[in-house]
Amino acid sequence: MKQQNYKNHSQLVFGWHGITFFAILALLIGSFVNLSHSAPENIYSASLICVIAVICGFFFAYIRIFALKAQDRAIRAEENLRHFALTGKLLPAQLRIGQIIALRFACDEEFPALAAKAAAENLSNKEIKLSIQNWRADWYRV
């Protein structure tokens, strides 16, 4: 397995981010084109197809959002436990979830100091990730 770093840490799943997204987009566009060209007797069914396409779009977005929220909660708990194990203290309360998620890539040696710096200087997620010298890979989050 290749080494993970800032440049290659984000993951895209071709079937979800590619095929499913474009299939729903095509359904959405096609359904509205169909509605605009429908004969008066077919307006009801064409509008139902549009509603289904919009619902699929919401499903696509919310399924991803809900999964990420669950992963965010797990990462917060894991990193809080890791910080406690390393320092005997919980993570600084002023850290935002995005900062904690970025901190998960820091190795144990860098983690406590970087967490304190991120809290004190209100570093962005990108700044945190770019500050990491020894990258700790996370292959599970998609």
Side-chain angles (χ1 to χ4, degrees), residues 58-79:
F58 280 116
F59 274 153
F60 181 81
Y62 280 111
I63 286 169
R64 182 75 178 138
I65 290 167
F66 293 155
L68 287 177
K69 289 287 185 187
Q71 287 181 358
D72 291 352
R73 288 183 60 162
I75 290 168
R76 179 192 298 268
E78 290 169 357
E79 297 310 309

Side-chain angles (χ1 to χ4, degrees), residues 4-135:
Q4 192 180 67
N5 57 45
Y6 177 76
K7 292 180 181 174
N8 70 2
H9 78 284
S10 61
Q11 298 178 41
L12 294 176
V13 177
F14 179 72
W16 180 257
H17 297 103
I19 296 172
T20 305
F21 172 76
F22 287 111
I24 291 173
L25 186 62
L27 173 66
L28 194 60
I29 292 168
S31 67
F32 281 99
V33 168
N34 179 43
L35 178 64
S36 69
H37 292 93
S38 288
E41 62 272 6
N42 294 331
I43 293 290
Y44 180 72
S45 59
S47 63
L48 284 179
I49 294 170
C50 288
V51 169
I52 290 169
V54 169
I55 290 170
C56 286
F58 280 116
F59 274 153
F60 181 81
Y62 280 111
I63 286 169
R64 182 75 178 138
I65 290 167
F66 293 155
L68 287 177
K69 289 287 185 187
Q71 287 181 358
D72 291 352
R73 288 183 60 162
I75 290 168
R76 179 192 298 268
E78 290 169 357
E79 297 310 309
N80 218 359
L81 176 62
R82 180 164 77 121
H83 192 271
F84 187 81
L86 294 170
T87 66
K89 300 176 191 169
L90 296 176
L91 280 169
Q94 57 270 43
L95 286 175
R96 298 181 315 275
I97 188 65
Q99 291 172 306
I100 296 169
I101 291 166
L103 284 166
R104 81 186 188 277
F105 295 111
C107 68
D108 288 347
E109 293 78 24
E110 293 179 71
F111 180 65
L114 191 54
K117 181 180 177 183
E121 298 177 17
N122 196 24
L123 297 177
S124 71
N125 308 354
K126 183 178 181 178
E127 290 171 326
I128 292 169
K129 290 177 186 177
L130 290 172
S131 299
I132 296 170
Q133 300 300 312
N134 260 335
W135 195 271

